[in-house]
Amino acid sequence: MESLSLIIGALGNSISVLLFLSPVGVFRRILKHRSTEEFESLPYICTLLNSSLWTYYGIIKTGEFLVATINGFGVVVEIVFLTLFLVFAPPRIRAKTAMLIGILDVGFLAAAVLVCQLLLQGDMKIDIIGFLGAGLNVVMYGSPLAAMKTVVRTKSVEYMPFLLSLFVFLNGGVWTCYAVLKKDWFLGVANVAGFFLGAAQLILYAIYWKPKSSKNTAPKDSEHGSQHEHLLPSSSHFRENNEA
């Protein structure tokens, strides 16, 4: 059983790497244009907080090193993304982004870790971090609901990238299996939401996908679509990002 959970966890890590790296196209565009244009930083800020909480969870809970390692990777990736965002964002957006990073990724995270380290012991410490991580994961997995609403309204999957939906589905399913084998219900709750929402997105694809009738798509419109497609990775990347 332990060997099986190790294999499934390693598979989950591989899929999660793809989820964490899914916004690379966005940041390639930011570097090319030397501007963040209309992109939002909040998804990456939330993914950094989420990954940080799950990294800490994986460290303090025995036998969860796979959770710690993949989310540690996610922390590094999101720090790089946010650094680029701060460099190329206009002054007002840069100040807002820096404030949110300070409040959520530094202040809230530091408070959570200090409370757990100084005031809580044993299973209670693990339960609190697991509860926070699972709650944030469900919220992040739920973020594509707006895109799904747009798909139904427009009867077009233009603003919901297939590969991202597929990876959210696979990531949620694999990490749910891992959680069942490890009897880790916080990890299970966090990822079963991703599994079902990913499945719902794929069903919408099957219903509304249409082959392009013309190859002459305006580049500007294509870029606009790409911009909206990658706003919320984790799932995070968003995500879960990620399994966490």
Side-chain angles (χ1 to χ4, degrees):
M1 188 69 74
E2 189 63 30
S3 298
L4 181 59
S5 64
L6 186 62
I7 292 170
I8 291 177
L11 177 61
N13 273 7
S14 301
I15 298 171
S16 295
V17 166
L18 297 175
L19 266 179
F20 279 127
L21 294 178
S22 62
V24 163
V26 169
F27 286 90
R28 189 178 296 147
R29 172 175 169 150
I30 287 173
L31 282 170
K32 180 181 178 181
H33 295 175
R34 304 188 69 79
S35 169
T36 57
E37 301 177 13
E38 299 299 320
F39 292 110
E40 294 286 343
S41 61
L42 186 60
Y44 311 108
I45 293 171
C46 291
T47 302
L48 177 56
L49 175 60
N50 188 53
S51 297
S52 300
L53 287 171
W54 283 111
T55 300
Y56 180 56
Y57 178 87
I59 291 171
I60 63 176
K61 184 169 182 180
T62 304
E64 295 288 11
F65 67 95
L66 287 174
V67 174
T69 52
I70 186 57
N71 283 285
F73 172 79
V75 168
V76 174
V77 170
E78 298 307 321
I79 288 174
V80 172
F81 285 165
L82 284 169
T83 300
L84 291 173
F85 196 96
L86 287 170
V87 169
F88 294 107
R92 184 178 63 83
I93 302 299
R94 183 183 300 126
K96 177 184 175 183
T97 299
M99 181 182 68
L100 287 173
I101 291 173
I103 292 172
L104 296 175
D105 295 328
V106 178
F108 180 82
L109 178 64
V113 172
L114 285 174
V115 167
C116 287
Q117 287 295 114
L118 300 178
L119 301 180
L120 303 175
Q121 298 294 328
D123 289 344
M124 180 60 70
K125 181 193 301 186
I126 295 171
D127 289 348
I128 292 297
I129 294 298
F131 180 80
L132 290 173
L136 186 57
N137 238 75
V138 170
V139 170
M140 290 177 65
Y141 271 135
S143 60
L145 288 173
M148 294 169 69
K149 180 180 178 181
T150 301
V151 169
V152 174
R153 180 172 54 83
T154 63
K155 298 185 177 1
S156 168
V157 295
E158 180 182 2
Y159 299 122
M160 194 170 67
F162 174 76
L163 285 179
L164 186 58
S165 299
L166 178 62
F167 289 144
V168 167
F169 170 75
L170 293 175
N171 189 68
V174 170
W175 281 107
T176 298
C177 292
Y178 176 85
V180 171
L181 290 172
K182 300 287 286 186
K183 294 183 172 57
D184 189 329
W185 308 120
F186 290 116
L187 201 58
V189 168
N191 286 283
V192 74
F195 174 75
F196 283 112
L197 284 169
Q201 291 176 49
L202 293 176
I203 290 170
L204 286 181
Y205 252 95
I207 295 172
Y208 292 110
W209 181 83
K210 299 182 183 69
K212 291 182 179 179
S213 57
S214 172
K215 295 183 179 179
N216 297 323
T217 304
K220 191 171 184 179
D221 290 343
S222 176
E223 288 182 358
H224 182 72
S226 175
Q227 172 175 333
H228 285 276
E229 285 177 0
H230 296 286
L231 284 182
L232 291 172
S234 199
S235 203
S236 171
H237 254 176
F238 325 75
R239 58 196 348 223
E240 348 172 25
N241 246 28
N242 11 92
E243 74 301 20

